[in-house]
């Protein structure tokens, strides 16, 4: 049996969109480590799964346990089997895009989706389950956290920014208090700070409020300076840190100082980017090392430097239980076998402006020439930034949207160059691609860490697939039987 007091040795990293599926998190949790679901855009992906008819019936089961059944009913009715016919092909109908004022429909969908994802990951065992959010993606954050807390989430993990307010928000939500989060708005000089609000009481709309526990909070950081800043914050300290290097999959912290690019156009990291692990250890909170820690040697190295263990993403992203579309996983494994599938650290791809790791795989938008053929459209909107319009209202723009639209909203044309639509690309990677009017389907974008080239170490000879437990076995080595339930 999992000992809930024991800190995990391995954190299976939160990987959006949908790669850290509930199935993956559940498999890891059942083996005694911390399984993490991704909370990024789960409202959209849950709606699309319902539109597809909830093929394995698991969302419907989770919805039956949601504490507010009138809300669960509305979600069922609105989305179940609601695909739109489009020139002989099924098309997903539009789900509202996130904005500061989410609107009741999207608010309910966000709470329910985060609840379901955690609830499904917790099904049938008593292991620990966490949820991962990106700080940069602010507008859905408050209801997302509350939804996860309704499902009794054990850990919240957040990176890609400075998640300074989260400890206080978790404490307040655990008392069912109203919470606010300041939202970054561009060109906002002279205006009052813009806040996103969430009220558990209004959400429950007269129903009794369930008791919720305060999950632990792990901040994902890339420097001891940021860790110390968060530790000393008046909003409360995180309960620990995930310390991530720039070779990790997904978004990376930019190099310190002026961005210098290599001959291949990738950011060059230097001595100033080396993480001061001793400085992190001296804070005295538990921490886990991440980014290229996919072997037992690396795990032992982390332990010998005072870490509790490691957070690993790339190795889990390709295993059977991950949410990546199955044939895509096989194409990647085949490509690696042939020495292909290079991982590019792309300084421009992400609309957030953070470097983003992209796998150069044929047939995906990871190939620059292929991505240039995509007709720009912004219809999911998770990475849009809020900006103040001349008339004082707030608008939303994304440098990956059609260039003319972005410029008309005050964006700079040079900021649109090289940007990819991560929203549509990442959702396609999990097999929920939109069909466009012309019959085309949105192509995937795959992200992975530099360690992708070593993925074959988790495969048994002659096999083309592996399970989450195979990763845990390799990572923990001798310690595997000590820590797992198997
Ligand atoms: C496919 C993929 C998606 C990721 N998405 C996120 C994310 O949404 N949020 C996040 O904090 N980290 C994300 N990461 C980083 C992982 O959580 C983890 O920290 C990282 O993968 C560890 O390094 P590794 O890739 O070398 O194992 C992602 C990583 C991968 C491989």
């Amino acid at each position: 049996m999992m000992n809930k007091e024991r800190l995990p040795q391995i954190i299976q990293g939160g990987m959006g969109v949908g790669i850290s599926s509930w199935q993956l998190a559940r498999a890891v949790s059942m083996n005694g480590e911390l399984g993490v679901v991704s909370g990024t855009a789960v409202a959209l992906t849950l709606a699309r799964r319902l539109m597809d008819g909830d093929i394995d019936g698991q969302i419907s089961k989770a919805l039956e346990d949601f504490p507010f059944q009138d809300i669960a009913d509305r979600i069922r009715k609105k989305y179940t089997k609601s695909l739109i016919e489009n020139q002989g092909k099924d098309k997903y109908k539009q789900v509202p895009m996130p904005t500061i004022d989410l609107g009741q429909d999207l608010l309910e969908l966000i709470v329910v989706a985060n609840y379901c994802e955690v609830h499904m990951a917790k099904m049938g065992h008593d292991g620990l389950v966490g949820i991962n959010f990106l700080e940069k993606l602010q507008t859905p954050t408050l209801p997302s956290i509350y939804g996860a807390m309704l499902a009794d989430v054990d850990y919240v993990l957040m990176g890609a920014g400075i998640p300074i307010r989260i400890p206080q928000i978790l404490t307040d939500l655990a008392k069912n208090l109203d919470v606010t989060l300041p939202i970054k708005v561009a060109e906002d000089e002279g205006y009052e700070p813009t806040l996103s609000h969430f009220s558990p009481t209004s959400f429950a709309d007269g129903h009794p409020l369930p008791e919720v526990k305060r999950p632990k909070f792990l901040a994902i950081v890339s420097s001891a300076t940021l860790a110390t800043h968060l530790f000393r914050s008046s909003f409360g300290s995180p309960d620990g840190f995930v310390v991530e290097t720039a070779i990790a999959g997904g978004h990376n912290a930019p190099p310190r100082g002026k961005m210098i690019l290599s001959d291949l156009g990738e950011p060059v990291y230097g001595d100033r980017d080396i993480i001061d692990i001793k400085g992190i250890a001296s804070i005295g909170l538990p921490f886990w090392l991440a980014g290229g820690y996919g072997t037992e040697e690396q795990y032992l190295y982390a332990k010998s430097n005072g870490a509790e263990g490691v957070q690993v993403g790339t190795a889990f992203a390709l295993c059977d239980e991950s949410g990546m579309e199955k044939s895509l996983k096989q194409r990647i494994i085949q490509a690696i076998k042939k020495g292909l599938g290079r991982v590019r650290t792309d300084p421009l791809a992400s609309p957030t402006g953070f470097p983003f790791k992209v796998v150069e795989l044929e047939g995906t938008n990871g190939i620059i020439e292929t991505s240039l053929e995509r007709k720009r459209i912004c219809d999911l909107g998770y990475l849009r930034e809020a900006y103040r319009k001349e008339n004082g209202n707030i608008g939303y723009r994304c440098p990956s949207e059609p260039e003319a639209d972005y410029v008309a909203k005050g964006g700079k044309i040079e900021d649109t160059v090289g940007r990819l639509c991560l929203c549509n690309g990442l959702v396609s990677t999990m097999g929920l691609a939109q069909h466009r009017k012309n019959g085309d389907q949105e192509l995937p974008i795959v992200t992975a860490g530099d360690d992708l080239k070593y993925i074959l170490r988790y495969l048994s000879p002659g096999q083309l697939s592996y399970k989450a437990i195979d990763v845990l076995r390799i990572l923990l080595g001798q310690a595997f039987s000590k820590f797992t339930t198997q």
Side-chain angles (χ1 to χ4, degrees):
M1 267 297 122
M2 171 83 200
N3 171 4
K4 285 219 168 195
E5 292 310 308
R6 180 180 78 80
L7 290 169
Q9 303 287 297
I10 309 295
I11 303 178
Q12 161 256 310
M15 297 176 280
V17 175
I19 303 299
S20 292
S21 60
W22 65 266
Q23 291 93 334
L24 173 57
R26 183 167 180 267
V28 173
S29 300
M30 287 178 79
N31 283 289
E33 300 304 333
L34 179 57
V36 177
V37 294
S38 166
T40 302
V42 278
L44 171 78
T45 59
L46 177 118
R48 286 195 174 179
R49 286 202 192 106
L50 285 174
M51 290 182 217
D52 280 333
D54 183 24
I55 293 160
D56 61 8
Q58 295 297 340
I59 300 176
S60 306
K61 269 202 207 155
L63 281 174
E64 283 171 21
D65 294 333
F66 188 67
F68 310 111
Q69 277 302 300
D70 45 345
I71 295 176
D73 254 348
R74 285 200 282 276
I75 304 288
R76 272 187 210 106
K77 287 206 184 95
K78 186 148 191 203
Y79 292 107
T80 308
K81 292 204 174 149
S82 63
L83 290 167
I84 307 168
E85 217 267 7
N86 173 45
Q87 297 181 348
K89 295 224 169 101
D90 286 334
K91 185 176 181 298
Y92 293 114
K93 72 176 178 189
Q94 181 72 29
V95 173
M97 296 204 259
T99 50
I100 295 164
D101 178 9
L102 289 163
Q104 189 61 21
D105 282 4
L106 183 56
L107 183 75
E108 292 184 354
L109 183 60
I110 291 173
V111 176
V112 164
N114 282 276
Y115 168 86
C116 286
E117 204 64 18
V118 174
H119 186 74
M120 294 188 288
K122 290 204 124 196
M123 211 166 41
H125 64 93
D126 68 353
L128 296 168
V129 170
I131 191 161
N132 175 284
F133 299 112
L134 297 169
E135 198 275 338
K136 280 230 165 205
L137 232 139
Q138 297 183 304
T139 55
T141 298
L142 298 177
S144 297
I145 295 178
Y146 185 66
M149 285 172 69
L150 284 177
D152 198 28
V153 74
D154 300 291
Y155 281 80
V156 168
L157 300 93
M158 195 184 271
I162 304 178
I164 198 147
R165 304 239 175 182
I166 303 301
Q168 184 69 51
I169 288 169
L170 296 177
T171 304
D172 289 347
L173 281 178
K175 296 178 194 153
N176 276 315
L177 296 175
D178 293 3
V179 285
T180 56
L181 179 70
I183 303 289
K184 284 181 203 99
V185 178
E187 285 117 49
D188 205 31
E189 297 77 32
Y191 285 88
E192 291 286 303
T194 304
L195 298 177
S196 126
H197 296 264
F198 180 76
S199 165
T201 314
S202 314
F203 184 78
D205 195 21
H207 295 292
L209 281 167
E211 269 188 31
V212 285
K213 81 161 185 248
R214 185 195 189 279
K216 288 190 174 159
F217 175 58
L218 304 183
I220 304 169
V221 297
S222 294
S223 75
T225 317
L226 177 56
T228 308
H229 176 59
L230 293 173
F231 173 64
R232 294 189 182 145
S233 160
S234 58
F235 298 105
S237 166
D239 299 289
F241 300 102
V242 171
V243 182
E244 197 180 70
T245 68
I247 68 165
H251 284 96
N252 303 136
R256 310 271 180 281
K258 192 169 177 293
M259 175 94 83
I260 298 170
L261 299 181
S262 69
D263 293 348
L264 292 170
E266 297 176 304
V268 176
Y269 290 85
D271 287 351
R272 287 171 67 195
D273 301 300
I274 296 170
I275 304 175
D276 173 12
I277 298 176
K278 281 203 179 104
I280 304 253
S282 71
I283 295 174
L285 292 179
F287 68 97
W288 289 260
L289 298 187
Y293 283 86
T295 61
E296 185 189 7
E297 292 75 50
Q298 293 289 76
Y299 160 71
L300 293 173
Y301 168 84
K303 299 235 21 132
S304 67
N305 278 279
E308 291 300 324
V310 294
Q311 168 165 295
V312 172
T314 299
F316 287 111
L318 275 290
C319 76
D320 286 351
E321 296 92 338
S322 94
M324 191 184 296
E325 198 272 322
K326 205 171 161 193
S327 65
L328 194 53
K329 274 182 215 170
Q330 287 183 348
R331 274 162 58 199
I332 296 173
I333 291 174
Q334 298 281 16
I336 304 291
K337 284 202 153 187
K338 292 186 196 143
L340 303 171
R342 192 181 93 86
V343 174
R344 173 176 85 242
T345 306
D346 195 320
L348 299 175
S350 172
T352 64
F354 277 37
F356 185 71
K357 292 267 195 293
V358 178
V359 181
E360 294 180 339
L361 182 74
E362 287 302 323
T364 71
N365 281 330
I367 303 288
I368 291 179
E369 293 72 23
T370 308
S371 72
L372 291 173
E373 283 166 25
R374 177 181 181 271
K375 190 170 175 302
R376 286 184 172 220
I377 176 172
C378 180
D379 57 349
L380 303 182
Y382 277 83
L383 293 171
R384 293 182 308 168
E385 72 167 352
Y387 73 99
R388 185 70 64 179
K389 295 184 187 175
E390 277 175 16
N391 66 8
N393 293 340
I394 288 179
Y396 299 89
R397 64 188 179 206
C398 175
S400 299
E401 72 182 315
E403 290 89 340
D405 294 352
Y406 186 67
V407 172
K409 294 174 187 174
K412 294 191 193 119
I413 186 75
E414 54 270 32
D415 289 345
T416 64
V417 177
R419 303 289 186 206
L420 302 182
C421 177
L422 294 193
C423 292
N424 272 292
L426 294 175
V427 169
S428 170
T429 298
M430 60 183 293
L432 296 172
Q434 182 64 294
H435 280 102
R436 295 298 175 201
K437 275 204 188 107
N438 60 4
D440 283 358
Q441 201 173 327
E442 286 284 356
L443 291 180
I445 293 173
V446 181
T447 178
D450 291 358
D451 261 11
L452 184 66
K453 53 184 173 296
Y454 303 125
I455 208 80
L456 304 179
R457 62 165 75 112
Y458 307 106
L459 295 169
S460 305
Q463 298 296 308
L464 275 182
S465 65
Y466 60 97
K467 295 201 172 294
I469 195 167
D470 298 322
V471 179
L472 291 176
R473 240 188 231 117
I474 291 207
L475 284 175
L476 288 167
Q478 297 260 326
F480 178 73
S481 51
K482 188 166 130 207
F483 290 126
T484 65
T485 51
Q486 302 287 300

